[in-house]
Amino acid sequence: MGKIIDGKKISEQMKEELKDKVEKLKAQGKKVTLAVVQVGDDPASSVYVNNKKKTCAYIGIGSLSYELSKEAKEEELLSLIEELNGREDVNGILVQLPLPPHMDEQKVIGAISPKKDVDGFHPFNVGALSIGQKGFVSCTPAGIIELLKRSCIEIEGKECVVIGRSNIVGKPMALLLLRENGTVTIAHSKTKNLKEIAKRADILIVAVGKAKMITKEYVKEGAVVIDVGIHRNEQNKLCGDVDYEDVFPICSALTPVPGGVGPMTIAMLMNNCVESVL
Ligand code: GUN
């Protein structure tokens, strides 16, 4: 039988620890402030942004909110970033993605000071991760490592298969597992024999973006399965990339959706904000 990895509970523990750290920083006269920038009014982005701001308030991190219209010019966003880069009272800058199609996402990410890039998306931080130097790490994969560690799941020497190669999840996930001495395979939409490769995994990280695609045919008996996907099923209920009911009986541990990886992403963002003042 599978064991549920309770990301909500683990993220709550982390938030309590961060609350303490923020309080100690305040006692030393150091405030933590995150600037959150949203361009346009995509409803999903608004939900994420509001969640981030609410969590900041809970932990004692100040948040500044900037809302640009979806017609705003790229230069307007770039000059806001430049202003925030220069402000001493702003420690972290987060530009919610996706941006409208007329904006160059990589150019915008590259404009954020790497020291304030709490998302860990700047090429400087991505490069630091790839050569094992310190820097901000993308929150979802960093949250997954934290989930595994706090659930006492060893990574060293394990066969780890990551399905998905995005810049935000798949690639940094693979690098982080490698840093923990896992044996790492990255699979993606062009991978042949995906079932066979996935079935080799002791730790299977799924970020394919297709609802309930991963059935028990992809999973080795006793594997740990981490589900990064989030979708709405036919009944409008949230579900992941993993067919939960099918996989649960054969795996040793599994993250639910909701309540698995999602809450950890926000907790790691908060962690990165606190790190930005240390
Ligand atoms: N859009 C979806 N996930 C993220 C994230 O982690 N950071 C930002 N900035 N935008 C996102």
Side-chain angles (χ1 to χ4, degrees), residues 9-102:
K9 191 167 149 199
I10 295 174
S11 74
E12 273 158 13
Q13 281 165 5
M14 278 193 70
K15 284 193 269 185
E16 294 311 312
E17 292 163 17
L18 288 167
K19 218 172 162 176
D20 278 355
K21 276 193 191 167
V22 168
E23 218 161 88
K24 290 201 176 93
L25 285 168
K26 272 189 190 153
Q28 297 167 27
K30 290 180 187 165
K31 259 185 77 182
V32 190
T33 303
L34 171 68
V36 181
V37 184
Q38 186 179 356
V39 185
D41 54 5
D42 172 63
S45 288
S46 299
V47 170
Y48 290 132
V49 161
N50 283 333
N51 253 335
K52 289 169 188 176
K53 289 191 279 200
K54 252 181 19 203
T55 313
C56 279
Y58 178 76
I59 290 175
I61 294 174
S63 68
L64 302 171
S65 231
Y66 297 87
E67 286 160 28
L68 272 59
S69 90
K70 65 176 185 292
E71 288 89 22
K73 291 212 165 66
E74 189 180 83
E75 297 84 79
E76 201 182 321
L77 176 58
L78 292 172
S79 73
L80 171 62
I81 292 171
E82 203 180 315
E83 179 202 322
L84 295 169
N85 281 342
R87 275 179 61 168
E88 281 188 12
D89 61 334
V90 171
N91 314 101
I93 302 171
L94 182 145
V95 178
Q96 186 66 24
L97 303 177
L99 291 171
H102 67 281

Coordinates of all heavy atoms in Angstrom, one line a residue, residues 9-102:
K9 N 1.0 19.5 5.2 CA 1.5 19.4 6.6 C 3.0 19.9 6.7 O 3.4 20.7 7.5 CB 1.3 18.0 7.2 CG 1.5 17.9 8.6 CD 1.0 16.5 9.1 CE 1.9 16.1 10.3 NZ 1.7 14.6 10.5
I10 N 3.8 19.3 5.8 CA 5.2 19.6 5.8 C 5.4 21.1 5.4 O 6.2 21.8 6.1 CB 6.0 18.7 4.8 CG1 5.8 17.2 5.2 CG2 7.4 19.1 4.6 CD1 6.4 16.2 4.3
S11 N 4.6 21.7 4.5 CA 4.8 23.1 4.2 C 4.4 23.9 5.4 O 5.0 25.0 5.6 CB 3.9 23.5 3.0 OG 2.6 23.5 3.3
E12 N 3.4 23.5 6.2 CA 3.0 24.2 7.4 C 4.1 24.2 8.4 O 4.4 25.3 9.0 CB 1.7 23.7 8.0 CG 0.5 24.4 7.3 CD -0.8 23.6 7.3 OE1 -0.9 22.7 8.1 OE2 -1.7 24.0 6.6
Q13 N 4.8 23.1 8.6 CA 6.0 23.1 9.5 C 7.0 24.1 9.0 O 7.5 24.9 9.8 CB 6.6 21.7 9.4 CG 6.0 20.6 10.3 CD 6.5 19.2 9.9 OE1 7.4 19.1 9.1 NE2 5.9 18.2 10.5
M14 N 7.3 24.1 7.7 CA 8.3 25.0 7.2 C 7.9 26.4 7.4 O 8.7 27.3 7.8 CB 8.4 24.8 5.7 CG 9.3 23.7 5.3 SD 9.7 23.8 3.6 CE 10.7 25.2 3.5
K15 N 6.6 26.7 7.2 CA 6.1 28.1 7.4 C 6.3 28.6 8.9 O 6.6 29.7 9.1 CB 4.7 28.2 6.9 CG 4.6 28.3 5.4 CD 3.2 28.7 4.9 CE 2.3 27.5 4.7 NZ 1.0 27.8 4.2
E16 N 6.1 27.6 9.8 CA 6.3 28.0 11.2 C 7.7 28.3 11.5 O 8.1 29.3 12.2 CB 5.8 26.9 12.1 CG 4.3 26.6 12.1 CD 3.4 27.9 12.2 OE1 3.7 28.7 13.1 OE2 2.5 28.1 11.4
E17 N 8.6 27.5 10.9 CA 10.1 27.7 11.1 C 10.5 29.1 10.5 O 11.2 29.8 11.0 CB 10.9 26.6 10.4 CG 10.7 25.2 11.0 CD 11.2 24.1 10.1 OE1 11.9 24.3 9.1 OE2 10.8 23.0 10.4
L18 N 9.9 29.4 9.3 CA 10.2 30.6 8.6 C 9.7 31.8 9.4 O 10.3 32.9 9.5 CB 9.6 30.7 7.2 CG 10.4 29.7 6.2 CD1 9.6 29.6 4.9 CD2 11.8 30.3 5.9
K19 N 8.5 31.7 10.0 CA 7.9 32.7 10.9 C 8.9 33.1 12.0 O 9.1 34.3 12.3 CB 6.6 32.2 11.5 CG 5.5 33.1 11.6 CD 4.2 32.4 12.0 CE 3.2 33.4 12.5 NZ 2.0 32.8 12.8
D20 N 9.5 32.1 12.6 CA 10.4 32.3 13.7 C 11.7 33.0 13.2 O 12.1 34.0 13.8 CB 10.9 30.9 14.2 CG 10.0 30.4 15.2 OD1 9.0 31.1 15.6 OD2 10.2 29.2 15.7
K21 N 12.1 32.6 12.0 CA 13.3 33.2 11.4 C 13.1 34.7 11.1 O 13.9 35.6 11.4 CB 13.7 32.6 10.1 CG 14.6 31.3 10.3 CD 15.2 30.9 9.0 CE 15.9 29.5 9.1 NZ 16.2 28.9 7.8
V22 N 11.9 35.0 10.6 CA 11.5 36.4 10.2 C 11.4 37.2 11.5 O 11.9 38.4 11.5 CB 10.2 36.4 9.4 CG1 9.7 37.8 9.3 CG2 10.4 35.8 8.0
E23 N 10.9 36.6 12.5 CA 10.8 37.4 13.8 C 12.2 37.7 14.3 O 12.4 38.8 14.8 CB 10.1 36.5 14.8 CG 9.1 37.3 15.7 CD 8.1 36.3 16.3 OE1 8.4 35.8 17.4 OE2 7.0 36.1 15.7
K24 N 13.1 36.7 14.3 CA 14.5 37.0 14.7 C 15.1 38.1 13.9 O 15.9 38.9 14.4 CB 15.3 35.7 14.7 CG 14.8 34.7 15.7 CD 15.9 33.6 16.1 CE 15.4 32.7 17.2 NZ 14.7 31.5 16.7
L25 N 14.9 38.0 12.6 CA 15.5 39.0 11.7 C 14.9 40.4 12.1 O 15.7 41.4 12.1 CB 15.2 38.7 10.2 CG 16.0 37.6 9.6 CD1 15.4 37.2 8.3 CD2 17.4 38.0 9.4
K26 N 13.6 40.5 12.4 CA 13.0 41.8 12.7 C 13.7 42.3 14.0 O 13.9 43.5 14.1 CB 11.5 41.6 13.0 CG 10.7 41.7 11.7 CD 9.2 41.8 11.9 CE 8.6 41.7 10.6 NZ 7.2 41.1 10.6
A27 N 14.0 41.4 14.9 CA 14.6 41.8 16.2 C 16.0 42.4 15.9 O 16.5 43.2 16.7 CB 14.7 40.6 17.2
Q28 N 16.6 42.0 14.8 CA 17.9 42.6 14.4 C 17.7 43.8 13.5 O 18.7 44.3 12.9 CB 18.7 41.5 13.7 CG 19.1 40.3 14.4 CD 19.6 39.2 13.5 OE1 20.2 39.5 12.4 NE2 19.4 37.9 13.9
G29 N 16.5 44.2 13.4 CA 16.2 45.4 12.5 C 16.2 45.1 11.0 O 16.3 46.0 10.2
K30 N 16.1 43.8 10.7 CA 16.1 43.4 9.2 C 14.6 43.0 8.8 O 14.1 42.1 9.4 CB 17.0 42.3 9.0 CG 18.5 42.6 9.1 CD 19.3 41.4 8.8 CE 20.8 41.7 9.1 NZ 21.6 40.5 9.2
K31 N 14.1 43.7 7.8 CA 12.8 43.4 7.3 C 12.9 42.6 6.0 O 13.9 42.8 5.3 CB 12.0 44.7 7.0 CG 11.0 45.0 8.1 CD 10.2 46.3 7.7 CE 9.1 45.9 6.7 NZ 8.4 47.1 6.3
V32 N 12.0 41.7 5.8 CA 12.0 41.0 4.5 C 10.8 41.5 3.7 O 9.7 41.5 4.1 CB 11.8 39.4 4.7 CG1 12.0 38.7 3.5 CG2 12.7 38.9 5.9
T33 N 11.1 41.9 2.4 CA 10.0 42.4 1.6 C 10.1 41.8 0.2 O 11.2 41.8 -0.5 CB 10.1 43.9 1.4 OG1 10.0 44.4 2.8 CG2 8.9 44.5 0.6
L34 N 8.9 41.3 -0.3 CA 8.8 40.7 -1.7 C 8.0 41.6 -2.5 O 6.9 42.0 -2.1 CB 8.2 39.3 -1.6 CG 7.8 38.6 -2.9 CD1 9.1 38.3 -3.7 CD2 7.0 37.4 -2.7
A35 N 8.5 41.9 -3.7 CA 7.7 42.7 -4.7 C 7.1 41.7 -5.7 O 7.8 40.9 -6.3 CB 8.5 43.7 -5.4
V36 N 5.7 41.7 -5.8 CA 5.1 40.7 -6.7 C 4.5 41.5 -7.8 O 3.7 42.4 -7.6 CB 3.9 40.0 -5.9 CG1 3.2 39.0 -6.8 CG2 4.5 39.3 -4.7
V37 N 4.8 41.1 -9.1 CA 4.4 41.8 -10.2 C 3.5 40.9 -11.1 O 3.9 39.8 -11.4 CB 5.6 42.3 -11.1 CG1 5.1 43.1 -12.3 CG2 6.6 43.1 -10.3
Q38 N 2.3 41.4 -11.4 CA 1.4 40.6 -12.3 C 1.1 41.5 -13.5 O 0.7 42.6 -13.4 CB 0.1 40.2 -11.5 CG -0.7 39.3 -12.4 CD -2.0 38.8 -11.7 OE1 -2.2 39.1 -10.5 NE2 -2.9 38.1 -12.4
V39 N 1.2 40.9 -14.7 CA 0.8 41.6 -15.9 C -0.4 40.9 -16.5 O -0.4 39.7 -16.8 CB 2.0 41.5 -16.9 CG1 1.6 42.4 -18.1 CG2 3.3 42.0 -16.3
G40 N -1.5 41.7 -16.6 CA -2.8 41.1 -17.1 C -3.6 40.6 -15.9 O -3.2 40.7 -14.7
D41 N -4.7 39.9 -16.2 CA -5.6 39.5 -15.2 C -6.0 38.0 -15.4 O -7.1 37.6 -15.1 CB -6.8 40.4 -15.1 CG -7.5 40.5 -16.4 OD1 -7.1 39.8 -17.4 OD2 -8.5 41.3 -16.6
D42 N -5.1 37.2 -15.8 CA -5.3 35.7 -16.0 C -5.8 35.2 -14.6 O -5.1 35.4 -13.6 CB -4.0 35.0 -16.4 CG -4.2 33.5 -16.4 OD1 -5.0 33.0 -17.1 OD2 -3.4 32.9 -15.6
P43 N -7.0 34.6 -14.6 CA -7.5 34.2 -13.3 C -6.6 33.2 -12.5 O -6.5 33.3 -11.3 CB -8.9 33.5 -13.7 CG -9.1 33.8 -15.1 CD -7.8 34.2 -15.7
A44 N -6.0 32.2 -13.2 CA -5.1 31.3 -12.5 C -4.0 32.0 -11.9 O -3.6 31.8 -10.7 CB -4.6 30.2 -13.4
S45 N -3.4 33.0 -12.6 CA -2.2 33.8 -12.1 C -2.7 34.6 -10.9 O -2.0 34.7 -9.9 CB -1.7 34.7 -13.1 OG -1.0 34.0 -14.1
S46 N -3.9 35.1 -10.9 CA -4.4 35.9 -9.8 C -4.5 35.1 -8.6 O -4.2 35.5 -7.5 CB -5.8 36.5 -10.1 OG -5.6 37.4 -11.2
V47 N -5.0 33.8 -8.7 CA -5.1 32.9 -7.6 C -3.7 32.7 -7.0 O -3.5 32.8 -5.8 CB -5.7 31.6 -8.0 CG1 -5.6 30.5 -6.8 CG2 -7.2 31.8 -8.4
Y48 N -2.7 32.4 -7.8 CA -1.3 32.1 -7.4 C -0.8 33.3 -6.6 O -0.2 33.2 -5.6 CB -0.4 31.7 -8.5 CG -0.7 30.3 -9.1 CD1 -0.8 30.2 -10.5 CD2 -0.9 29.2 -8.3 CE1 -1.1 28.9 -11.1 CE2 -1.2 28.0 -8.9 CZ -1.3 27.8 -10.2 OH -1.5 26.6 -10.8
V49 N -0.9 34.5 -7.3 CA -0.3 35.7 -6.7 C -1.0 36.0 -5.4 O -0.3 36.4 -4.4 CB -0.5 36.9 -7.7 CG1 -0.4 38.2 -7.1 CG2 0.5 36.7 -8.9
N50 N -2.3 35.9 -5.3 CA -3.0 36.2 -4.0 C -2.5 35.2 -2.9 O -2.3 35.6 -1.8 CB -4.5 36.1 -4.1 CG -5.0 37.3 -4.8 OD1 -4.4 38.4 -4.7 ND2 -6.1 37.2 -5.6
N51 N -2.3 33.9 -3.3 CA -1.8 32.9 -2.3 C -0.4 33.3 -1.8 O -0.1 33.2 -0.6 CB -1.7 31.6 -3.0 CG -2.8 30.6 -2.6 OD1 -3.3 30.8 -1.5 ND2 -3.1 29.7 -3.5
K52 N 0.4 33.8 -2.7 CA 1.8 34.2 -2.3 C 1.7 35.4 -1.4 O 2.4 35.4 -0.4 CB 2.6 34.5 -3.6 CG 2.9 33.3 -4.4 CD 3.5 33.6 -5.8 CE 3.6 32.3 -6.6 NZ 4.1 32.5 -8.0
K53 N 0.9 36.3 -1.7 CA 0.8 37.5 -0.8 C 0.2 37.2 0.5 O 0.7 37.7 1.6 CB -0.1 38.6 -1.5 CG 0.7 39.2 -2.7 CD 0.0 40.5 -3.2 CE -1.2 40.2 -4.1 NZ -1.6 41.2 -5.0
K54 N -0.8 36.3 0.6 CA -1.4 35.9 1.8 C -0.3 35.1 2.7 O -0.2 35.3 3.9 CB -2.5 34.9 1.6 CG -3.9 35.6 1.8 CD -5.1 34.7 1.6 CE -5.1 33.2 1.6 NZ -6.3 32.7 0.9
T55 N 0.5 34.3 2.0 CA 1.5 33.5 2.8 C 2.6 34.5 3.3 O 3.0 34.3 4.5 CB 2.1 32.4 1.9 OG1 1.0 31.7 1.3 CG2 2.9 31.4 2.7
C56 N 2.9 35.5 2.5 CA 3.9 36.5 3.0 C 3.4 37.1 4.3 O 4.1 37.2 5.3 CB 4.0 37.6 2.0 SG 5.2 37.3 0.6
A57 N 2.1 37.5 4.3 CA 1.5 38.2 5.4 C 1.5 37.2 6.6 O 1.9 37.7 7.8 CB 0.1 38.6 5.1
Y58 N 1.2 36.0 6.4 CA 1.2 35.0 7.6 C 2.6 34.9 8.2 O 2.7 34.8 9.4 CB 0.7 33.6 7.0 CG 0.7 32.6 8.1 CD1 -0.3 32.6 9.1 CD2 1.7 31.6 8.2 CE1 -0.3 31.7 10.1 CE2 1.8 30.7 9.2 CZ 0.7 30.7 10.1 OH 0.8 29.8 11.2
I59 N 3.6 34.9 7.4 CA 5.0 34.6 7.9 C 5.6 35.9 8.4 O 6.6 35.9 9.2 CB 5.8 34.0 6.8 CG1 5.3 32.6 6.5 CG2 7.3 34.0 7.1 CD1 6.0 31.9 5.4
G60 N 5.1 37.1 8.0 CA 5.6 38.3 8.5 C 6.5 39.0 7.4 O 7.3 39.9 7.8
I61 N 6.4 38.5 6.2 CA 7.2 39.1 5.1 C 6.3 40.2 4.5 O 5.1 39.9 4.2 CB 7.5 38.0 4.0 CG1 8.5 37.0 4.6 CG2 8.1 38.6 2.8 CD1 8.8 35.8 3.7
G62 N 6.9 41.3 4.3 CA 6.1 42.4 3.6 C 5.9 42.1 2.1 O 6.8 41.5 1.5
S63 N 4.8 42.5 1.6 CA 4.7 42.3 0.1 C 4.2 43.6 -0.5 O 3.4 44.3 0.0 CB 3.8 41.1 -0.2 OG 2.5 41.4 0.1
L64 N 4.8 43.9 -1.7 CA 4.4 45.0 -2.5 C 3.8 44.5 -3.7 O 4.3 43.6 -4.3 CB 5.6 45.9 -2.8 CG 6.4 46.5 -1.7 CD1 7.7 47.1 -2.2 CD2 5.6 47.5 -0.9
S65 N 2.7 45.1 -4.1 CA 1.9 44.5 -5.3 C 2.0 45.5 -6.4 O 1.7 46.6 -6.3 CB 0.5 44.4 -4.8 OG 0.0 43.2 -5.0
Y66 N 2.3 44.9 -7.6 CA 2.3 45.8 -8.8 C 1.4 45.0 -9.9 O 1.7 43.9 -10.2 CB 3.7 46.0 -9.3 CG 4.5 46.8 -8.4 CD1 5.2 46.1 -7.4 CD2 4.6 48.1 -8.4 CE1 6.0 46.8 -6.4 CE2 5.3 48.9 -7.5 CZ 6.0 48.2 -6.5 OH 6.8 48.9 -5.6
E67 N 0.4 45.8 -10.4 CA -0.5 45.2 -11.4 C -0.4 46.0 -12.6 O -0.7 47.2 -12.6 CB -1.9 45.1 -10.9 CG -2.1 44.0 -9.9 CD -3.3 44.1 -9.0 OE1 -4.3 44.7 -9.5 OE2 -3.3 43.6 -7.9
L68 N 0.1 45.4 -13.7 CA 0.2 46.1 -15.0 C -0.9 45.5 -15.9 O -1.2 44.3 -15.8 CB 1.6 45.9 -15.7 CG 2.7 46.8 -15.3 CD1 3.0 46.8 -13.8 CD2 4.0 46.5 -16.0
S69 N -1.4 46.4 -16.8 CA -2.5 45.9 -17.7 C -1.9 44.9 -18.7 O -0.6 45.0 -19.0 CB -3.2 47.0 -18.4 OG -2.5 47.3 -19.6
K70 N -2.7 44.1 -19.3 CA -2.1 43.1 -20.3 C -1.6 43.8 -21.6 O -0.9 43.2 -22.3 CB -3.1 42.0 -20.6 CG -4.4 42.4 -21.3 CD -5.2 41.1 -21.6 CE -6.5 41.4 -22.4 NZ -7.5 42.1 -21.7
E71 N -2.0 45.1 -21.7 CA -1.5 45.8 -22.9 C -0.3 46.6 -22.6 O 0.3 47.3 -23.4 CB -2.6 46.9 -23.4 CG -3.8 46.3 -24.1 CD -4.9 45.9 -23.2 OE1 -5.0 46.5 -22.1 OE2 -5.7 45.0 -23.5
A72 N 0.2 46.6 -21.3 CA 1.4 47.3 -20.9 C 2.6 47.0 -21.9 O 2.7 45.8 -22.3 CB 1.7 47.0 -19.5
K73 N 3.4 48.0 -22.1 CA 4.6 47.7 -23.0 C 5.7 47.0 -22.2 O 5.8 47.2 -21.0 CB 5.1 49.1 -23.5 CG 4.2 49.8 -24.5 CD 5.0 50.6 -25.4 CE 4.3 51.0 -26.7 NZ 3.2 52.0 -26.4
E74 N 6.5 46.3 -22.9 CA 7.6 45.6 -22.2 C 8.5 46.5 -21.5 O 8.9 46.2 -20.4 CB 8.3 44.8 -23.3 CG 9.3 43.8 -22.7 CD 10.1 43.1 -23.8 OE1 11.1 43.7 -24.3 OE2 9.7 42.0 -24.1
E75 N 8.7 47.7 -22.1 CA 9.6 48.7 -21.5 C 9.1 49.1 -20.1 O 9.9 49.4 -19.2 CB 9.8 50.0 -22.4 CG 10.4 49.7 -23.7 CD 9.4 49.3 -24.8 OE1 8.7 50.2 -25.3 OE2 9.3 48.1 -25.0
E76 N 7.8 49.2 -20.0 CA 7.2 49.6 -18.7 C 7.5 48.6 -17.7 O 7.9 49.0 -16.5 CB 5.6 49.7 -18.9 CG 4.9 50.6 -17.9 CD 3.4 50.5 -18.2 OE1 3.0 50.5 -19.3 OE2 2.7 50.5 -17.2
L77 N 7.4 47.3 -18.0 CA 7.7 46.3 -17.0 C 9.2 46.3 -16.7 O 9.6 46.2 -15.6 CB 7.3 44.9 -17.6 CG 7.7 43.7 -16.8 CD1 7.1 43.7 -15.4 CD2 7.2 42.4 -17.5
L78 N 10.1 46.5 -17.8 CA 11.5 46.5 -17.6 C 11.9 47.7 -16.7 O 12.8 47.5 -15.8 CB 12.3 46.6 -18.9 CG 12.1 45.3 -19.8 CD1 12.7 45.5 -21.1 CD2 12.8 44.1 -19.1
S79 N 11.2 48.8 -16.8 CA 11.7 50.0 -16.0 C 11.2 49.8 -14.6 O 11.9 50.2 -13.6 CB 11.3 51.3 -16.6 OG 9.9 51.5 -16.5
L80 N 10.0 49.1 -14.4 CA 9.6 48.8 -13.0 C 10.6 47.8 -12.3 O 11.0 48.1 -11.2 CB 8.2 48.1 -13.0 CG 7.7 47.5 -11.7 CD1 7.6 48.6 -10.6 CD2 6.4 46.8 -11.9
I81 N 11.1 46.9 -13.1 CA 12.1 45.9 -12.5 C 13.4 46.7 -12.2 O 13.9 46.4 -11.1 CB 12.4 44.8 -13.5 CG1 11.1 43.9 -13.7 CG2 13.6 43.9 -13.1 CD1 11.2 42.8 -14.8
E82 N 13.8 47.6 -13.0 CA 15.0 48.3 -12.8 C 14.8 49.1 -11.5 O 15.8 49.2 -10.6 CB 15.2 49.3 -13.9 CG 16.7 49.7 -14.1 CD 16.9 50.6 -15.2 OE1 16.3 50.3 -16.3 OE2 17.5 51.7 -15.1
E83 N 13.6 49.7 -11.3 CA 13.4 50.5 -10.1 C 13.5 49.6 -8.8 O 14.1 49.9 -7.8 CB 12.0 51.1 -10.2 CG 11.6 52.0 -9.0 CD 10.1 52.1 -8.9 OE1 9.4 52.3 -9.9 OE2 9.6 52.1 -7.7
L84 N 12.8 48.4 -9.0 CA 12.8 47.5 -7.8 C 14.2 46.9 -7.5 O 14.6 46.7 -6.4 CB 11.8 46.3 -8.1 CG 10.3 46.7 -8.2 CD1 9.5 45.6 -8.7 CD2 9.8 47.2 -6.8
N85 N 15.0 46.7 -8.6 CA 16.4 46.2 -8.4 C 17.1 47.2 -7.5 O 18.0 46.8 -6.7 CB 17.1 46.1 -9.8 CG 16.7 44.9 -10.5 OD1 16.2 43.9 -10.0 ND2 17.0 44.9 -11.8
G86 N 16.8 48.5 -7.7 CA 17.6 49.5 -7.0 C 17.1 49.8 -5.6 O 17.8 50.6 -4.9
R87 N 16.0 49.3 -5.3 CA 15.4 49.7 -4.0 C 15.9 48.8 -2.9 O 15.8 47.6 -2.9 CB 13.9 49.6 -4.0 CG 13.2 50.8 -4.6 CD 11.7 50.7 -4.6 NE 11.1 50.4 -3.3 CZ 9.8 50.5 -3.1 NH1 9.0 50.8 -4.2 NH2 9.3 50.3 -2.0
E88 N 16.5 49.5 -1.9 CA 17.1 48.7 -0.8 C 16.1 48.0 0.1 O 16.4 47.1 0.8 CB 18.0 49.6 0.1 CG 19.3 49.8 -0.6 CD 20.3 50.6 0.3 OE1 20.1 50.7 1.5 OE2 21.4 51.0 -0.3
D89 N 14.9 48.6 0.1 CA 13.8 48.0 1.0 C 13.1 46.8 0.3 O 12.1 46.3 0.8 CB 12.8 49.1 1.4 CG 12.1 49.7 0.2 OD1 12.7 49.7 -0.9 OD2 11.0 50.2 0.3
V90 N 13.5 46.4 -0.9 CA 12.9 45.3 -1.6 C 14.0 44.2 -1.7 O 15.1 44.4 -2.3 CB 12.5 45.7 -3.1 CG1 12.1 44.4 -3.8 CG2 11.3 46.7 -3.0
N91 N 13.7 43.0 -1.1 CA 14.7 41.9 -1.1 C 14.5 40.9 -2.3 O 15.4 40.4 -2.8 CB 14.6 41.1 0.2 CG 14.6 42.1 1.4 OD1 13.5 42.3 2.0 ND2 15.7 42.6 1.7
G92 N 13.2 40.7 -2.6 CA 12.9 39.7 -3.6 C 11.9 40.3 -4.6 O 11.1 41.2 -4.3
I93 N 12.1 39.9 -5.9 CA 11.2 40.3 -7.0 C 10.7 39.1 -7.7 O 11.4 38.2 -8.1 CB 12.0 41.2 -8.0 CG1 12.6 42.4 -7.3 CG2 11.1 41.6 -9.2 CD1 13.6 43.2 -8.3
L94 N 9.3 39.1 -7.8 CA 8.7 37.9 -8.5 C 7.8 38.5 -9.6 O 6.9 39.3 -9.3 CB 7.9 37.1 -7.5 CG 7.2 35.9 -8.0 CD1 7.1 34.8 -6.9 CD2 5.7 36.2 -8.5
V95 N 8.1 38.1 -10.8 CA 7.2 38.5 -11.9 C 6.4 37.2 -12.3 O 7.0 36.2 -12.7 CB 8.0 39.0 -13.2 CG1 7.0 39.3 -14.3 CG2 8.8 40.2 -12.8
Q96 N 5.1 37.3 -12.1 CA 4.3 36.1 -12.3 C 4.3 35.7 -13.8 O 4.0 36.6 -14.6 CB 2.9 36.3 -11.8 CG 2.0 35.1 -11.8 CD 2.4 33.9 -10.9 OE1 3.1 34.1 -9.9 NE2 2.0 32.7 -11.2
L97 N 4.5 34.5 -14.1 CA 4.5 34.0 -15.5 C 3.2 33.2 -15.7 O 2.6 32.7 -14.7 CB 5.7 33.1 -15.8 CG 7.0 33.7 -15.5 CD1 8.1 32.7 -15.8 CD2 7.3 34.9 -16.4
P98 N 2.6 33.0 -16.9 CA 3.2 33.5 -18.1 C 2.9 35.0 -18.3 O 2.0 35.6 -17.8 CB 2.4 32.7 -19.2 CG 1.1 32.4 -18.5 CD 1.4 32.2 -17.0
L99 N 3.7 35.6 -19.2 CA 3.5 37.0 -19.5 C 2.7 37.1 -20.8 O 2.7 36.1 -21.6 CB 4.9 37.7 -19.7 CG 5.7 37.9 -18.4 CD1 7.1 38.3 -18.8 CD2 5.0 38.9 -17.5
P100 N 2.1 38.2 -21.2 CA 1.4 38.3 -22.4 C 2.4 38.0 -23.6 O 3.6 38.3 -23.5 CB 0.9 39.7 -22.5 CG 1.0 40.2 -21.1 CD 2.0 39.5 -20.4
P101 N 1.8 37.5 -24.7 CA 2.7 37.1 -25.8 C 3.6 38.2 -26.4 O 4.7 37.8 -27.0 CB 1.7 36.6 -26.9 CG 0.3 36.7 -26.3 CD 0.4 37.3 -25.0
H102 N 3.2 39.5 -26.3 CA 4.1 40.5 -26.8 C 5.3 40.8 -26.0 O 6.2 41.6 -26.3 CB 3.3 41.8 -27.1 CG 2.9 42.5 -25.8 ND1 1.7 42.1 -25.1 CD2 3.4 43.5 -25.1 CE1 1.6 42.8 -24.1 NE2 2.5 43.7 -24.1

